[in-house]
Each structure stands twice: as structure tokens, then as C-alpha cells.
């Protein structure tokens, strides 16, 4: 890819989408060409068309084979869609997951077949205190994140997500950046991310 590819991961409810909307405002103010795409939205579009799910929270409960098909197609479509918009000065930011808690075990969000399409320059792991994430999941009534369990379960998932991010980074020599999204400090997290990507 001519443009830079930045993958942004983090456990459900950590605030990825929130941080990325602040990042978009910052990039606009600094004239930086940046496109943010949500991986789950691409998977959802196909799954809705095929009448497999009613919402994005049902995706991780589909059969493994189906999730892998949707995952591969999403990665392909994301790159196809970006090729027409971004040149070598542009940044593609992908809002996704390094690990997905599915009904058949923990699924890597960035396995080799996905990385071969995306070829990321950087994989970002957004983190926060497990207690804060738990509260954000509970407060966000627009989503069903009820099967992520206790604070301890969230801590465990964060540990797996870090391991998965570093494993995925090996394939294309992507850097890994760990950024904390502290309570009411999404602006600081977005600023840190902006500093990182400008050095790629
Ligand atoms: P996705 O849409 O990414 O769902 P998600 O994990 O729930 O992530 P969100 O984007 O909804 O949460 P978030 O971390 O961005 O938090 P938010 O900013 O909303 O994925 C959907 C599904 O797609 C996955 O479950 C999976 O099945 C599938 N999928 C995706 N990628 C895949 C892949 N690569 N392979 C296979 N499957 C894949 O914030 C949450 C709340 O916290 C909000 O209320 C917000 O206001 C609040 N908040 C945020 N930041 C702060 C802060 N600093 N202080 C206080 N409150 C805050």
C-alpha cells in the first residue's frame, strides 16, 4: 500500500471509536489526510445482507467458518475502498480487534490472511483500567456487551489482546503502540496516537 495503515484495537468498550472521532477532528485541523473505517461495520454489512445477524454484537456468535469468511472479505473491501481515496500522504485507520471472544473460543482479529490484505505499519492497543472499561460497557446502552463478564474477565481479555497484537505485528514488522484512554481523557489518547502516526 502507498498509504500508511494503522490498526486500532482494544477490548469492547475501551473507547476506540471515541478516541478515533477525536483523532479525525485533530487531523482535519492539521490538514492531515486520514480515513477511519470500522472493520466490524464491513463484516456486519455482508452478514445483514445474508440475513445472518440482526446487529453487530451477534457477529462473534456466528460459526467460526462464517466469521473467517466475513473477516477475509472485510479486509479486502477495506483496502479496495481506500485505494481510490488515499495516496502516499494518507493514513488509513482501521477500528478493530486483536482478539475476539467468540462462542468457539478466542479468535485472532488479525490472522495472516487479514494481515496479507492490510499490511499494517502500526498496531495500536488502546487500554484503560479494567474497572473503568466495565463501567463504560454498562453505561453504553446502545450496545449489548453483557457477555464480557467481570473486571477480572476484562483484565484477562486485555492480556490476550496484547499477546495477539504482538503476534500479529511480527508478519509485516508493524510497530505496536500501547495507549491508555484514561477516564475523560480521550483527547490525550488521540493526541498520543497522532504523534505516533506522524513518525511512521
Ligand atoms: P466493534 O464495532 O469494534 O465493537 P466493540 O468492540 O464493542 O467496539 P466499539 O467500537 O463499540 O467500542 P469502543 O471500544 O470503540 O468503545 P466506544 O468508543 O464506543 O466490533 C463489532 C464486532 O465486529 C466484534 O464484536 C466482532 O464480532 C467483529 N469484528 C470486528 N473486527 C473483527 C476482526 N478483525 N475479526 C473478526 N471479527 C471482528 O466507547 C464505549 C463507551 O465508553 C461510550 O459510552 C463512550 O462514551 C465511553 N468512553 C470512551 N472513552 C471514554 C473516556 N476516556 N472516559 C469516559 N468514557 C469514555
Amino acid at each position: 500500500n502507498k498509504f500508511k495503515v494503522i490498526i486500532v484495537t482494544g477490548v469492547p468498550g475501551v473507547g476506540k471509536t471515541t478516541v478515533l472521532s477525536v483523532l479525525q477532528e485533530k487531523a482535519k485541523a492539521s490538514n492531515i489526510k486520514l480515513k477511519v473505517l470500522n472493520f466490524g461495520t464491513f463484516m456486519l454489512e455482508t452478514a445483514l445482507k445474508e440475513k445472518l445477524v440482526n446487529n453487530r454484537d451477534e457477529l462473534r456468535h456466528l460459526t467460526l467458518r462464517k466469521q473467517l469468511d466475513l473477516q477475509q472479505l472485510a479486509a479486502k473491501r477495506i483496502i479496495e475502498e481506500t485505494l481510490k481515496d488515499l495516496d502516499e500522504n494518507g493514513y488509513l485507520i482501521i477500528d478493530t480487534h486483536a482478539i475476539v471472544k467468540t462462542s468457539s473460543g478466542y479468535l485472532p482479529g488479525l490472522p495472516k490472511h487479514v494481515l496479507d490484505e492490510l499490511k499494517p505499519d502500526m498496531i495500536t492497543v488502546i487500554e484503560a483500567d479494567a474497572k473503568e472499561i466495565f463501567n463504560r460497557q454498562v453505561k453504553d446502552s446502545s450496545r449489548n456487551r453483557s457477555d464480557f463478564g467481570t473486571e477480572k474477565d476484562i483484565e484477562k481479555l486485555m492480556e490476550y489482546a496484547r499477546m495477539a497484537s504482538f503476534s500479529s505485528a511480527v508478519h509485516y514488522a508493524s510497530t505496536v503502540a500501547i495507549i491508555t484512554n484514561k477516564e475523560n481523557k480521550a483527547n490525550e489518547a488521540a493526541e498520543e496516537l497522532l504523534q505516533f502516526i506522524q513518525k511512521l
Side-chain angles (χ1 to χ4, degrees):
N1 304 320
K2 282 190 173 160
F3 48 85
K4 311 254 168 48
V5 178
I6 295 97
I7 297 186
V8 177
T9 70
V11 301
V14 72
K16 297 178 294 294
T17 309
T18 307
V19 170
L20 291 182
S21 61
V22 181
L23 179 76
Q24 270 177 302
E25 286 164 24
K26 285 180 181 287
K28 204 169 168 199
S30 311
N31 259 325
I32 295 171
K33 199 134 179 23
L34 181 143
K35 187 176 169 85
V36 177
L37 294 177
N38 182 299
F39 198 99
T41 301
F42 278 78
M43 288 178 64
L44 181 65
E45 260 175 34
T46 310
L48 284 175
K49 241 186 254 161
E50 296 181 12
K51 297 197 171 25
L52 300 171
V53 296
N54 297 305
N55 61 61
R56 62 206 304 126
D57 291 309
E58 289 176 5
L59 287 170
R60 62 181 177 271
H61 303 301
L62 289 170
T63 63
L64 172 63
R65 294 290 172 93
K66 194 66 223 176
Q67 288 183 69
L68 292 177
D69 287 348
L70 292 171
Q71 195 185 42
Q72 172 120 40
L73 187 64
K76 258 195 201 332
R77 286 185 49 224
I78 283 173
I79 294 300
E80 275 165 18
E81 182 161 327
T82 308
L83 282 170
K84 49 184 192 292
D85 291 343
L86 292 183
D87 59 17
E88 64 273 15
N89 298 316
Y91 298 92
L92 167 63
I93 315 281
I94 304 168
D95 182 346
T96 186
H97 294 268
I99 204 88
V100 181
K101 191 181 176 196
T102 75
S103 300
S104 51
Y106 293 101
L107 167 71
L110 304 167
K112 180 131 189 325
H113 69 108
V114 169
L115 294 166
D116 287 342
E117 300 291 340
L118 304 181
K119 302 184 177 71
D121 295 274
M122 178 166 112
I123 299 175
T124 308
V125 186
I126 306 277
E127 294 188 345
D129 184 79
K131 193 188 178 84
E132 287 169 8
I133 298 173
F134 181 80
N135 290 335
R136 288 174 201 169
Q137 288 182 351
V138 173
K139 265 198 252 163
D140 189 356
S141 56
S142 68
R143 297 288 307 277
N144 178 12
R145 301 186 180 104
S146 57
D147 55 339
F148 288 105
T150 62
E151 276 171 47
K152 274 261 164 300
D153 296 325
I154 293 171
E155 259 168 32
K156 228 191 304 169
L157 190 60
M158 282 170 66
E159 191 190 323
Y160 301 159
R162 265 196 190 199
M163 290 193 277
S165 296
F166 279 99
S167 309
S168 296
V170 169
H171 296 273
Y172 283 91
S174 322
T175 58
V176 176
I178 310 231
I179 294 179
T180 310
N181 177 27
K182 295 200 188 104
E183 199 62 10
N184 301 320
K185 296 267 165 58
N187 186 60
E188 277 82 340
E191 186 57 42
E192 203 180 335
L193 180 53
L194 187 65
Q195 298 302 322
F196 271 121
I197 70 176
Q198 287 178 288
K199 285 285 186 186
L200 288 173

